[in-house]
Amino acid sequence: MKLLKLLANLGYGSRKEVERFFKAGAVTDADGNTLGEKDSVPYELIRFKGEPLDPLAPLTIMVNKPDGYTCSTEDADVTVYDLLPPRFERRNPGLSSVGRLDKDTTGLLLMTDDGPLLHRIIHPKYKLGKVYEVELDRPLEGHESEIFASGTLTLKSEGRPLLPAELEVTGEKTARITLHEGRYHQVRRMFAAVGNHVVSLKRISIGGLTLPNDLEEGEWRILEQKDLDTLFGK
Ligand code: URA
């Protein structure tokens, strides 16, 4: 691929802006020699303003999502893209959230430009559990685990019952729940169905991949192949 198109696809700018970067000498090789739009240089040796380029597609990242950020770009709110370098929102192919978290849900969010990978993570047929830590308004009554595990609980205005979900009670008003599907506001609606109310919700793992302790809220990290292997339990 031509250097100009490569940089534009990585979101460094529109074609016109990238042309200007070339003219200004912002694109160099590792030794600082200025590159032209048509030069052919191994990708790892290209520098933009002295920095190595972002990874090519396919790219998958994990984000520790803070409260107050939406996963959708369709509204004017603060979005998870605001946590990333601005060029990430302009990448082609674009990065999408792997299953959305509500605005006020925190924790592990994956974003990828790899459609088949996204499908493998979210489709119930691949049975990747998503684990959430839940804080509730009222004490648990003791019957919730059985109801959630039954495979017969049907949420309001839905025709199909939920897949069985596992509940681990961790305190009077706290629990960990593992889902194997991702319906709209699922955890909140499940607890509403048993007469409770979710006060806070944090996703702590997807498949074998757990939110690392050293990834602070608002931080993100590129996933390596070994992380994807961990995710799928290889
Ligand atoms: N269930 C919810 O209710 N909200 C989320 O963000 C994720 C799962």
Side-chain angles (χ1 to χ4, degrees), residues 194-220:
V194 293
N196 212 324
H197 174 72
V198 171
V199 177
S200 82
L201 188 59
K202 176 179 186 178
R203 183 156 64 192
I204 55 165
S205 67
I206 300 176
L209 192 69
T210 301
L211 186 66
N213 285 332
D214 61 353
L215 191 71
E216 302 290 333
E217 274 201 2
E219 289 185 344
W220 60 277

Side-chain angles (χ1 to χ4, degrees), residues 101-102 105 132 185-188 201:
L101 290 180
D102 299 336
T105 301
Y132 296 83
H185 291 335
Q186 185 169 339
V187 176
R188 294 172 205 278
L201 188 59

